[in-house]
């Protein structure tokens, strides 16, 4: 069980760090306003648009990755053991 916890924590930390860096670049127009939560600017190049896609992907990877390793896999193992008589 400790390995699933560490995998979930690694996904949450790593993807969360990438999300925080990209959100700081693209979703922080000024330090006086909302930080990390503002809207993405309109005039983006192709590489900026790819970074915004990566930004959104890292957010959902952090959330669902941690839930998968902390809840999904242990629950699946418990159900497997319960119904196979182990």
């Amino acid at each position: 069980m400790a390995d699933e916890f560490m995998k979930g924590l690694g996904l949450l930390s790593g993807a969360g760090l990438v999300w925080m860096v990209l959100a700081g670049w693209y979703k922080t127009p000024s330090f006086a306003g909302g930080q990390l939560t503002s809207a993405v600017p309109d005039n983006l190049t192709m590489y900026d648009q790819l970074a915004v896609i990566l930004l959104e992907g890292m957010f959902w990877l952090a959330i669902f990755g941690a839930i998968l390793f902390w809840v999904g896999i242990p629950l699946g193992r418990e159900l497997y053991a319960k119904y196979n008589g182990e």
Side-chain angles (χ1 to χ4, degrees):
M1 286 298 191
D3 57 338
E4 280 90 10
F5 177 76
M6 288 309 297
K7 289 174 188 174
L9 184 64
L11 273 175
L12 185 66
S13 306
L17 178 64
V18 172
W19 174 82
M20 196 178 310
V21 168
L22 290 173
W25 288 344
Y26 293 104
K27 290 189 170 189
T28 304
S30 70
F31 290 105
Q35 297 181 4
L36 304 178
T37 58
S38 298
V40 178
D42 292 332
N43 54 350
L44 297 177
T45 65
M46 182 186 75
Y47 292 118
D48 291 333
Q49 291 174 0
L50 289 174
V52 169
I53 291 171
L54 182 66
L55 168 93
E56 296 298 324
M58 287 297 114
F59 176 78
W60 292 112
L61 178 66
I63 300 299
F64 289 127
I67 290 173
L68 173 72
F69 280 105
W70 291 343
V71 177
I73 292 176
L75 181 65
R77 286 186 179 174
E78 288 291 324
L79 291 174
Y80 181 79
K82 179 180 177 182
Y83 289 114
N84 284 334
E86 294 180 8

